Each structure stands twice: as C-alpha cells, then as structure tokens.
Amino acid sequence: MNPVLSSAMAALIGASMALGAASQAAAQGARAPVALSADPQEAGLTCFYSAVVTGGGNTEAVAEATWFLFDTARRVTTDAPDTFIVKVEELADLPPPNLESLAADAPQLLPLCASRYPLISSKRTITLPSDPLTRDMQCFALTSYMAGVAESELEDAGESPFGKRVSVLADTLSAKLTEDRLKAAGITDEAAMQNLFSRSLRDVSPLGNPMKVLEACEAVVS
C-alpha cells in the first residue's frame, strides 16, 4: 500500500526540465503569453509538471504538486472511487502537453494554475475528518503516498529529511491501524483495505493543499 512515483514520471520530469531549459535558452525576446487548456486533464497535467519543474524536482515540490493529479483523478472517478489510484498512476505515465516548452512556460503557468485551482494555493488551516478511523486512514494514505514519492528516482531512496519525515509518520499511523480496529470497521481482507486506501487518498484533495494536510496530520499524531 505504498504507491511510488513511476519511473516513467521521473524520466518525463527530467526530460521536461532539460528540453524546457533548452527552449528557454534559445528563446529571443519576450515570451508569448501562455494559457491553460480548457480540457481538465490537460490543465491538471500542465499544472502538475509546471509546479514540479519550477520546484527543481525537489521531493517536497513533487509531493505538493501531486494534488493536481489527485484532483484530476478524483473528478473522473466519481462513479468508481475504488479505481482512484489506478487513475492517478495512469495520469502519472502521461507526458505534459507542453513538454518541449514546459520549463520556459512554467513561471507564467503557475499563476494561472493558482487561479484555476484556488484550493491548492490556499494555505488555510486544514480541518481533518472528526471520525478517528477516517482521519487516520486519510493521513496514512497521504503520508504513504508521499513516502513513495521520496523513494522514487527523484530522491536518494527516501533518505532526505522530507522522506524521513513522511516515512516516520506513515509508520506511526500504520501501527495505529491495527487488524482488530480494521476488522471492527468491516475491513477484513487485503482487497477491502486496498479499496479503503484508494478512497481515503481520493478524499484528501478536497481538504486542501497536501502540505497543509500533512501538517494537520502531524499535529494530530504528535
């Protein structure tokens, strides 16, 4: 239950940064204005990669930017919430629509992304669900996913401070989600747990910026 950033995504991020930097270096004069696609999936992917590239591939930037993938996947899995993680993985294997100009366009795109998706740009305090199991599962799903990001090819096997931060929290939450506790909630097999994990991660994006959700989870666990 620890999804990791796919090697395909890691390669795409590296390629987008290299190609974008090259196109930026070759550009002469002021750049033409950019715009986000009206297509929700294209816009979500563009904003995800723009945030990642602007963050220099930093793990925290990638972790925060995954909100765009979560939000895009959530909108198309309304009728099949158990397929949320599958959809996120599908999105993660897609290249940015503007691969060749991404790094050069990203600074102009980020304000557009903030306007299109105000929830991620808001730094408001996060209110976690009041139900303890729902809250613990959402925090566990998020920290497990972030730990997967930290263990990806973008970071040195999760040994960064951020990687350690989310891994420790994920382990703490995992210990709280005992077999007896899950059975009492009707979660009796691995398939049911996977579905609960997928639904829990799906329900994180409406809470707000994932880094603020992480802070709220840390406050509850500490």
Side-chain angles (χ1 to χ4, degrees):
M1 292 190 304
N2 189 15
V4 298
L5 198 67
S6 69
S7 58
M9 184 193 289
L12 282 169
I13 291 170
S16 66
M17 292 178 70
L19 289 172
S23 66
Q24 188 175 35
Q28 300 293 326
R31 293 190 57 79
V34 297
L36 285 177
S37 170
D39 178 82
Q41 180 167 299
E42 286 192 13
L45 285 170
T46 297
C47 289
F48 167 74
Y49 282 108
S50 295
V52 169
V53 169
T54 302
N58 176 273
T59 302
E60 291 187 45
V62 177
E64 183 172 41
T66 54
W67 184 92
F68 292 110
L69 301 183
F70 292 167
D71 184 71
T72 302
R74 182 177 60 84
R75 293 176 185 276
V76 297
T77 57
T78 301
D79 297 328
D82 294 346
T83 65
F84 173 78
I85 288 180
V86 173
K87 184 60 180 178
V88 170
E89 292 173 348
E90 290 177 357
L91 292 171
D93 282 335
L94 296 176
N98 58 336
L99 176 62
E100 294 187 358
S101 62
L102 178 59
D105 291 344
Q108 293 184 69
L109 286 167
L110 282 184
L112 303 181
C113 295
S115 178
R116 175 80 69 90
Y117 305 99
L119 197 58
I120 191 175
S121 60
S122 171
K123 302 300 182 180
R124 65 180 177 82
T125 301
I126 300 297
T127 300
L128 296 172
S130 58
D131 177 70
L133 179 60
T134 302
R135 180 187 64 230
D136 288 350
M137 274 302 308
Q138 288 186 7
C139 288
F140 173 63
L142 178 64
T143 54
S144 294
Y145 199 93
M146 287 183 168
V149 171
E151 292 168 7
S152 75
E153 295 181 18
L154 297 180
E155 197 62 51
D156 56 352
E159 291 301 314
S160 67
F162 179 74
K164 292 178 181 178
R165 173 187 175 188
V166 292
S167 293
V168 167
L169 187 56
D171 288 344
T172 300
L173 288 161
S174 179
K176 293 180 65 178
L177 295 165
T178 64
E179 184 177 352
D180 289 343
R181 187 181 180 194
L182 292 170
K183 282 184 176 179
I187 309 301
T188 59
D189 57 36
E190 183 64 22
M193 184 60 182
Q194 289 286 356
N195 289 341
L196 178 60
F197 185 96
S198 185
R199 288 169 178 259
S200 297
L201 190 61
R202 182 180 183 273
D203 291 340
V204 166
S205 65
L207 297 179
N209 183 289
M211 298 303 290
K212 298 299 291 184
V213 177
L214 175 60
E215 291 176 9
C217 292
E218 289 173 324
V220 169
V221 172
S222 62

